[in-house]
Amino acid sequence: MKNEQIDVPIITVDGPSGVGKGTLSQALAQHFGWTLLDSGAIYRVLALSILNKGLENAPVKQLVETAKALNVEFKSHESSIEVYLDGVNVTKAVRQESTGIAASKIATIAEVRDALLQRQRNFAIKPGLVADGRDMGTVVFPNASVKLFIDASTQARADRRIYQLKQAGAPCNPEEVLQDIIERDKRDRNRAVAPLIAAVDALIIDTTHLTITEVYETALKFIMNKFSLGK
């Protein structure tokens, strides 16, 4: 993967699932009036496309071709982001546990990550970008202006996911949710390509016992100090 210098201010927000990085990223993007990249959604859309086409066991070459031809679009609203695949709203489908698990597996394939790398970098447009993911600050935007790494205990993340599922009226087995998170973490942190780690120059925020407001204020203070101004 080739590192590229991109002349646009970028804030990367990395971390595992269930830590609140999506909520934080959207709040920061709205604060600055910048573009938002949900890189996890791109992998989820690809996973959904692969599942819909029955390509789970297809050769890597075919998965790469599917990634390159992926027709994905994000439509941002004041409090949410809608995801479209081939013009169809798949926002709910990409948030399903089965899609997330499939996306985590696909993300371990180096050739697939390469195929999606430039697509993610294309989101870096003026006036700026907030990039939410797992390797935004280490691989996709290594020269980002500000890097954040959001984390939380495994149990806290499982509890949050269980709450989300119950709120949505979706079936939920607490033990399975916890096990899925443990297995996903293992894949993400131990994959050979772009493992989930904090960039050396990232601020690490543990959200286990913090409110959304506290996380946002901590992140914003760090960002303002990095930029040395209050824009």
Side-chain angles (χ1 to χ4, degrees):
M1 295 182 182
K2 179 183 177 182
N3 290 343
E4 295 183 359
Q5 179 68 48
I6 300 174
D7 188 23
V8 171
I10 298 171
I11 299 170
T12 60
V13 185
D14 288 316
S17 62
V19 295
K21 62 182 186 295
T23 301
L24 173 62
S25 296
Q26 188 163 340
L28 292 174
Q30 290 178 350
H31 176 84
F32 290 101
W34 290 0
T35 301
L36 174 64
L37 164 60
D38 182 349
S39 66
I42 292 181
Y43 281 94
R44 284 172 173 264
V45 171
L46 175 57
L48 182 63
S49 178
I50 289 172
L51 291 172
N52 288 344
K53 295 175 181 178
L55 300 177
E56 300 93 314
N57 300 312
V60 170
K61 181 179 179 180
Q62 192 168 1
L63 298 181
V64 169
E65 291 173 353
T66 303
K68 289 181 176 179
L70 194 65
N71 179 17
V72 58
E73 181 182 4
F74 299 102
K75 294 183 180 180
S76 181
H77 300 280
E78 185 173 340
S79 60
S80 64
I81 296 178
E82 292 183 341
V83 186
Y84 289 77
L85 171 61
D86 295 326
V88 178
N89 189 327
V90 295
T91 306
K92 290 185 178 179
V94 298
R95 297 304 177 191
Q96 293 177 352
E97 282 297 291
S98 58
T99 308
I101 293 171
S104 180
K105 293 177 180 178
I106 291 169
T108 64
I109 304 173
E111 293 87 346
V112 171
R113 299 191 72 85
D114 280 336
L116 294 179
L117 180 59
Q118 191 56 49
R119 174 161 296 195
Q120 294 173 84
R121 286 180 172 164
N122 289 342
F123 277 82
I125 57 176
K126 293 182 178 181
L129 172 69
V130 178
D132 165 5
R134 284 170 169 73
D135 64 345
M136 296 295 98
T138 54
V139 176
V140 182
F141 301 109
N143 298 311
S145 314
V146 181
K147 300 176 184 179
L148 304 171
F149 189 90
I150 315 302
D151 210 344
S153 71
T154 304
Q155 188 61 58
R157 291 157 52 208
D159 291 342
R160 292 169 187 173
R161 183 56 181 161
I162 292 167
Y163 176 78
Q164 290 174 341
L165 291 171
K166 289 183 177 179
Q167 288 295 103
C172 172
N173 182 316
E175 292 183 0
E176 289 183 359
V177 171
L178 178 60
Q179 189 58 39
D180 285 343
I181 289 177
I182 292 173
E183 292 177 359
R184 190 179 306 180
D185 281 355
K186 185 177 180 180
R187 284 194 299 271
D188 290 344
R189 296 180 188 276
N190 296 305
R191 64 192 180 211
V193 179
L196 173 62
I197 56 174
V200 294
D201 51 347
L203 171 67
I204 299 175
I205 305 176
D206 188 323
T207 69
T208 302
H209 302 295
L210 298 180
T211 65
I212 294 174
T213 299
E214 290 171 331
V215 174
Y216 174 75
E217 291 177 347
T218 299
L220 191 59
K221 181 179 180 181
F222 179 72
I223 293 166
M224 293 308 187
N225 287 337
K226 277 283 188 176
F227 287 154
S228 298
L229 42 83
K231 67 179 180 179

